[in-house]
Every structure is written in C-alpha cells, then in structure tokens.
Amino acid sequence: MEPGTGPSPITPGDCVPEGALELPRQRATCPICKGAGYLVRIGPTGNPDLVPCRCKLRQLEESDYQELQRLSNLEAFADKTFDTFDPTVPGVAEAYEAARAYAERPEGWLLLTGNYGCGKTHLAAAIANEAVRNHMKTLFTVVPDLLDYLRAAYAPDSRVRFDERIETVRTVFLLILDDLGTENATPWASEKLYQIINYRYNYRLPTVITTNRELSQIEPRIRSRIWDKELCRHILIQAEDYRRWGPRRRT
C-alpha cells in the first residue's frame, strides 16, 4: 500500500464511530456516530473506551425532560397561570408579585404558606408553567405523589432504579413541592424528603415550597433549612378561600 493511500492512524484521544471498528451500520442517522449512539475514544494508553455521542446525550436529556413533564402532570394545572390569577383578591398581592418575580428569575427558595384555598397551589403551578414555557427544567409535584413515585422504583417491574429517580428530583433546576406536610410522615418518607431538601439547600438550587402547616409542625431538619432567611423568602398568604372569588375579575 502506497504512503497516503491507507486509513488514517488512530491516535490517543481520537473518537471514531463504534461501527467503524466493526461492520458498517445499516442506517446512518447521526453524521458523527452513524446511528450507533456511542463513540470509541482511544485513551492515552491506547485502550478504547465507549463514550456517548452528542446525539445520545441529547436523546437522554430529552428523555429526562419528558419524564419530568410526565411526573409534573402540568396538564392538570394548565389553567393555573398568572393571567388567570386575580391579584386583587384581598391578601394575595404580595405573594402574587413575589411569584411573578421568581418565575422570571428563579433564585433561592420561595415558601408560600397559608390556609387551604388561599391560592398557594395556583401560584406555584403558575411559576412552573412559566418556567416550562421559558424552557427551564422544572418539576412540579405534590409531596405525597412524589413519595409514591419514589416508592414505585422498588417495584419488581420498575424500569428505573430508585437512585436514578431521587437523583432526578434532587438535581432538577427548579423543584416545586406542593403541600409539604400532607404526606404520611413515616421514617422512610421523612428521610427521603430530607435528602432531597438538604441536597438542594447545600447547592442552593431554586426551590418553591407550599404548605398549610405551621412551620413548627414541619420535620425539624427540614424546618431548619427553610428558616434560613438568606436563602428562603417566606410569604404568609393571609386571605380567605381564594376559590370562592371564581375566575379572575377583569377590569
């Protein structure tokens, strides 16, 4: 074989399609990996390592996003937006303004407390809907439903491991926990909630929490982190049942 006519040598650090070391793939979709989804990276020692292609990483990211959307079930809260919230209802103005500002720039934690029906869930869902509209990875979930979702990972037919599920919850960009304190406070539930909240506290990840409980009734380790005024803004909604006002009043 004449010089220059043979295949280019593979040097350490090069990435080549997995299929290039085997038979050609039947269908070539991605121009980089030729549909394999993975590349073979030749390390400094000359040994090949399998690494995901950019198309595979994008596919995994989209899969994670779809899973978050499924878990959030925001379709049931599609009508819970800022446009449909009536800020003129007595006692809700401060929470409304804070929620709108938070949705535009999610930073730190936001805690909304108040009696049943005062608009906490509506505002929390409005934040979630706005964040999703702005392409932010968001998880909106009612706390008892979240715990059921985590428990389901232990089922024999579960296709996702528990550690994968809790990692998704802990690390999602914006986590919105609705109705904290309504869960069955078993030792397991308390421990898993603490692990989620403590992780997000340590890494200062944007988090919204709603509860109708007195903070003194919240599990002490969780309450301690919620009480951090440098991280968490607490707004008590002192309003009557928001639902009795009906749809937003237009002027």
Side-chain angles (χ1 to χ4, degrees):
M1 182 178 294
E2 297 180 4
T5 62
S8 300
I10 299 176
T11 58
D14 284 349
C15 280
V16 296
E18 184 187 14
L21 300 185
E22 303 170 353
L23 295 175
R25 298 285 173 172
Q26 294 295 322
R27 296 179 60 187
T29 53
C30 172
I32 300 175
C33 68
K34 309 303 182 186
Y38 293 89
L39 303 172
V40 176
R41 180 184 297 277
I42 307 302
T45 62
N47 295 323
D49 293 321
L50 205 61
V51 295
C53 179
R54 283 180 294 181
C55 69
K56 184 66 174 180
L57 293 174
R58 185 165 56 249
Q59 178 186 350
L60 293 172
E61 183 176 353
E62 291 173 354
S63 177
D64 288 344
Y65 183 79
Q66 291 172 359
E67 176 67 7
L68 290 174
Q69 292 296 92
R70 187 194 67 78
L71 177 58
S72 293
N73 193 29
L74 279 173
E75 290 182 2
F77 297 90
D79 62 328
K80 300 298 188 290
T81 66
F82 291 116
D83 287 339
T84 60
F85 190 90
D86 189 351
T88 67
V89 170
V92 302
E94 181 186 6
Y96 171 78
E97 294 298 333
R100 289 213 72 151
Y102 192 92
E104 293 176 4
R105 190 174 182 181
E107 290 183 348
W109 289 16
L110 179 64
L111 172 65
L112 302 176
T113 64
N115 292 326
Y116 293 103
C118 68
K120 303 184 301 296
T121 296
H122 188 140
L123 288 174
I127 293 173
N129 282 315
E130 185 71 11
V132 169
R133 189 177 68 84
N134 290 325
H135 306 287
M136 301 178 191
K137 277 195 172 182
T138 303
L139 173 57
F140 172 93
T141 180
V142 180
V143 172
D145 293 343
L146 170 63
L147 293 171
D148 287 343
Y149 170 75
L150 294 177
R151 287 190 192 96
Y154 292 120
D157 59 346
S158 176
R159 293 180 297 176
V160 182
R161 300 196 311 270
F162 174 82
D163 57 345
E164 293 175 344
R165 285 196 170 179
I166 197 169
E167 185 68 9
T168 296
V169 177
R170 292 196 309 174
T171 60
V172 66
F173 172 71
L174 174 58
L175 177 64
I176 301 177
L177 298 173
D178 191 37
D179 274 347
L180 177 67
T182 60
E183 69 280 356
N184 184 13
T186 63
W188 181 89
S190 297
E191 184 62 27
K192 297 314 167 189
L193 276 176
Y194 169 72
Q195 290 175 2
I196 292 168
I197 290 177
N198 186 58
Y199 183 94
R200 301 187 68 81
Y201 176 83
N202 289 337
Y203 288 94
R204 298 304 198 254
L205 297 177
T207 306
V208 177
I209 299 172
T210 79
T211 183
N212 53 47
R213 298 296 182 91
E214 296 289 338
L215 292 188
S216 60
Q217 297 176 311
I218 302 296
E219 200 272 337
R221 295 176 299 173
I222 294 176
R223 181 175 68 238
S224 174
R225 283 145 183 80
I226 293 174
W227 267 346
D228 186 343
K229 294 183 179 179
E230 292 186 1
L231 175 67
C232 184
R233 181 181 179 183
H234 175 199
I235 297 179
L236 171 61
I237 305 177
Q238 295 179 316
E240 298 179 17
D241 194 333
Y242 175 88
R243 298 184 184 95
R244 78 183 184 90
W245 296 93
R248 179 173 182 173
R249 294 172 288 177
R250 302 290 181 178
T251 57

